[in-house]
Amino acid sequence: MTDTPSKPFVERLRERASQSKVGAGGRNRAAFLAVKPDVEAALADGWPVSQIWDALVAEKRIDFSYVWFAKFVRDLIRKPGTANPVLSSAVSIAAPPAPIAAPVEAPIADTPPDATPAEPRPRPARFHHPDSPKKEDYL
């Protein structure tokens, strides 16, 4: 067997990704996956994504833009198909509110069969630009 290095596996992956010739998206994704457990814990505590990103950049644990960070949070943590956000274990989930009763609509008055349908409204005349305008039209 081989000796296991002293650094955690995630740290070794981060170093390997930063040294490889992979595109920026791959490096950013690898850096995000390295901090994903911390991001999940912070989201569970109710911290906003922007403040989590700010702290990780200040600690130099990630070095990519907020747009990439928010995309990774959306795609890798919140998963777009699920409607339930990450909630803290301290937050109690309340029962859903009672449904609102549908408004009662007044019945539509029956029109007598011999009534004539209303005539369609006449279309307004189109605007005409006269060649020689009359001064009294503008006053």
Side-chain angles (χ1 to χ4, degrees), residues 28 40 48 65-66 76 78 80 83 92 116 121 130 135:
N28 294 347
E40 288 173 330
S65 71
Y66 174 75
L76 300 174
R78 292 190 174 153
S92 63
T116 59
R121 293 176 47 189
K135 203 176 219 182

Side-chain angles (χ1 to χ4, degrees), residues 10 14 17 24-40 43 49 52-53 56 61-66 68-78:
V10 174
R14 183 184 304 153
R27 278 194 307 274
N28 294 347
R29 187 179 184 96
F32 180 81
L33 290 174
V35 298
K36 183 180 174 190
D38 295 333
V39 173
E40 288 173 330
L43 287 171
V49 175
I52 299 169
W53 173 80
L56 291 171
R61 294 177 66 191
I62 59 172
D63 62 349
F64 49 88
S65 71
Y66 174 75
W68 274 100
F69 185 77
K71 178 187 180 315
F72 289 138
V73 168
R74 182 185 67 236
D75 294 347
L76 300 174
I77 294 177
R78 292 190 174 153

Side-chain angles (χ1 to χ4, degrees), residues 1-41:
M1 289 277 171
T2 60
D3 295 333
T4 57
S6 61
K7 289 185 181 180
F9 181 67
V10 174
E11 291 294 323
R12 293 191 317 260
L13 280 175
R14 183 184 304 153
E15 287 176 7
R16 185 174 180 179
S18 66
Q19 294 170 355
S20 71
K21 298 202 185 323
V22 177
R27 278 194 307 274
N28 294 347
R29 187 179 184 96
F32 180 81
L33 290 174
V35 298
K36 183 180 174 190
D38 295 333
V39 173
E40 288 173 330

